[in-house]
Amino acid sequence: LAFLSSLYEGSKNMVQLYGVAILPQAFGCDDLIGQNLESAFIYGYSTDKITDDVKDQLAAFLRCQRITSDDLAAGSSIDTNLSDLLASLNTRLNYYLDSSPFLPMAGYQPSSDVSELARLDLDALQIWILIRTQAYEAANDVFKYGRNAYSTGDSIEKYLSLFSLYRENPTNIPLHEFYVQYYGSATFGEDIIVGAIEDSGELVSVNQTVRSEIAFRTVQGIYSFMGGVGKMYSAVASCSGQDMEAAINYWDSSVALYIGSSEGLLAGGRQGSGGSFMYSLSEEICSDLGVCGPAEETIANKGLLLEFAYGRDALSEGKCDFLQRLIEEEIIPQLVAVLIQAFLVFSIKSEVVDDRFHDEQLAAEFMFSKVLLPVIDKVNSTSATTIQETYGNLETLMTATKDLPS
């Protein structure tokens, strides 16, 4: 509140001082929000920079920090401009809450509260930042114990974590078994992230840029993907057991793990957002493939959100058999298609050796090959072997790219 007050009642230096103290936290919510607010309030601040777009970014930052309209209450004697700003932010923070207690996620309207689970995307982003800045112990703490998503129900843990999410996934689903059989481990995703944090396993002596990217892409390609699929199958099981409240929550949870908390409320998401789940991945690669679709919503995201809505509506009618067919015949193939697209895009981009993002693209290429290998192996083991030999060994991949022409 002191920062907001300084925008109209303080000096330019005071705005910058508060900005330097507060706004770095915005980068832990969304890189785009951090950049925009930094540009507005730290570099050459003036009141005419408080545009509607900046107010949108401020509201998104406040929501990320769990600041509500109640926290922005102020007396009647404040500056008129400040009063108008607070009213504008309150309107944005309360948007949709008058019509539903549950905020939409990129246009999907959940029927239960999955807002905390969606905030695991913030953990993923912050693990990426912490590994990149060599704060490995802090990255490990966020991964194992969580930081941004409060635990609900009867759990004795204060926070949800990516570590706990992975451990709770049902293991009796075919897709999960593909991965266990291929990698010989029920903790294959966890093993990769721990290796990235601890500089162990096949990630020994790899620079922090590559390690941070591998951890981030593991969340997109395994935790968002497999975690979401696990919740879908739990929804089917609960539906079959006539526990419809649990089934609805599991289904909404699967959508939360696809979209996350950073995409905003409206269909199409917030363009350029720093989301960490598969929805953001589809946005990231769509321009390379020419599949961004109308209204800035990718064709894949639009199709999947329609399927998620069909599943939600099927649950409301108790159609459990339809739900399972929807998962296996429509949703999983579309999810895998997004992962295949990501692998192809980063495989091509990684061949440009003088690109300043080369290490990140190489890490993404490697990680998405790891994500796809168990699925490909079930279809054609020869192809899987070829891909493993070409892309699945990080040391070999990094050595090979050094020989490519710039």
Side-chain angles (χ1 to χ4, degrees):
L1 194 56
F3 168 65
L4 296 176
S5 298
S6 72
L7 298 180
Y8 293 107
E9 299 178 344
S11 66
K12 177 178 176 180
N13 289 339
M14 186 62 71
V15 172
Q16 292 174 332
L17 179 63
Y18 277 120
V20 168
I22 295 171
L23 295 182
Q25 298 175 59
F27 287 91
C29 294
D30 185 303
D31 188 61
L32 180 65
I33 291 176
Q35 291 178 34
N36 288 344
L37 296 184
E38 181 181 57
S39 176
F41 298 120
I42 295 181
Y43 302 118
Y45 169 71
S46 61
T47 55
D48 61 3
K49 286 193 173 184
I50 308 178
T51 62
D52 284 342
D53 284 343
V54 168
K55 291 175 185 177
D56 289 342
Q57 302 283 344
L58 265 175
F61 171 53
L62 294 174
R63 187 177 292 113
C64 171
Q65 296 295 310
R66 299 182 182 277
I67 294 173
T68 69
S69 56
D70 291 339
D71 299 314
L72 299 181
S76 58
S77 60
I78 62 173
D79 179 89
T80 302
N81 290 318
L82 176 59
S83 178
D84 291 344
L85 173 62
L86 293 178
S88 179
L89 292 174
N90 284 332
T91 298
R92 287 166 165 80
L93 289 172
N94 292 327
Y95 192 56
Y96 273 101
L97 289 179
D98 291 338
S99 58
S100 171
F102 313 122
L103 285 175
M105 300 174 289
Y108 175 86
Q109 180 60 62
S111 301
S112 60
D113 186 4
V114 291
S115 58
E116 292 299 329
L117 185 66
R119 287 174 63 90
L120 283 176
D121 64 344
L122 302 176
D123 280 15
L125 174 61
Q126 290 166 22
I127 289 169
W128 179 85
I129 292 171
L130 291 167
I131 295 175
R132 208 172 184 86
T133 55
Q134 302 183 48
Y136 301 121
E137 289 187 12
N140 188 61
D141 285 346
V142 174
F143 172 60
K144 289 189 175 178
Y145 307 115
R147 184 177 185 276
N148 294 283
Y150 288 150
S151 183
T152 56
D154 299 326
S155 173
I156 62 173
E157 302 295 335
K158 180 178 180 181
Y159 295 105
L160 297 172
S161 69
L162 290 165
F163 178 85
S164 63
L165 169 71
Y166 199 79
R167 291 298 179 100
E168 73 181 23
N169 269 345
T171 57
N172 58 338
I173 59 176
L175 191 61
H176 184 271
E177 291 304 314
F178 293 173
Y179 284 81
V180 174
Q181 292 170 12
Y182 189 85
Y183 287 116
S185 169
T187 58
F188 47 90
E190 177 188 319
D191 297 341
I192 295 170
I193 292 184
V194 170
I197 293 172
E198 297 182 351
D199 192 17
S200 61
E202 61 185 319
L203 302 183
V204 169
S205 301
V206 176
N207 68 62
Q208 70 266 23
T209 299
V210 172
R211 288 160 59 189
S212 65
E213 195 70 15
I214 285 175
F216 184 79
R217 298 303 182 179
T218 301
V219 172
Q220 284 186 326
I222 294 180
Y223 283 73
S224 176
F225 172 45
M226 292 295 297
V229 170
K231 298 292 186 185
M232 291 178 207
Y233 276 95
S234 292
V236 172
S238 294
C239 182
S240 299
Q242 300 299 306
D243 188 349
M244 301 312 296
E245 182 178 354
I248 289 168
N249 183 257
Y250 277 127
W251 188 259
D252 288 340
S253 295
S254 73
V255 183
L257 289 173
Y258 182 76
I259 298 173
S261 69
S262 302
E263 295 294 344
L265 309 179
L266 304 179
R270 191 168 58 248
Q271 300 309 304
S273 76
S276 305
F277 289 163
M278 284 191 69
Y279 188 100
S280 178
L281 174 63
S282 180
E283 289 184 320
E284 180 183 359
I285 62 175
C286 74
S287 61
D288 296 288
L289 299 166
V291 293
C292 289
E296 302 300 328
E297 184 172 31
T298 73
I299 294 172
N301 282 339
K302 183 176 182 179
L304 279 161
L305 262 66
L306 282 173
E307 305 295 356
F308 289 141
Y310 293 151
R312 177 197 60 204
D313 297 343
L315 277 172
S316 70
E317 300 172 10
K319 296 180 179 178
C320 309
D321 292 341
F322 170 80
L323 194 66
Q324 180 147 353
R325 291 197 304 273
L326 181 71
I327 294 168
E328 295 176 349
E329 297 175 11
E330 300 293 339
I331 294 178
I332 289 178
Q334 290 183 52
L335 292 172
V336 172
V338 173
L339 297 172
I340 292 171
Q341 290 172 347
F343 171 64
L344 293 174
V345 166
F346 290 113
S347 296
I348 294 170
K349 285 187 171 183
S350 69
E351 294 182 0
V352 184
V353 179
D354 59 351
D355 190 311
R356 66 190 180 98
F357 297 114
H358 177 255
D359 280 357
E360 290 95 328
Q361 291 157 358
L362 189 69
E365 173 189 25
F366 164 76
M367 196 57 239
F368 287 118
S369 75
K370 301 281 281 187
V371 171
L372 290 168
L373 278 169
V375 179
I376 296 170
D377 186 64
K378 283 297 175 182
V379 178
N380 189 314
S381 59
T382 302
S383 296
T385 299
T386 301
I387 292 171
Q388 165 63 31
E389 291 174 348
T390 308
Y391 302 102
N393 183 289
L394 186 59
E395 182 179 2
T396 301
L397 194 60
M398 295 185 73
T399 302
T401 58
K402 290 179 182 178
D403 299 326
L404 289 173
S406 299

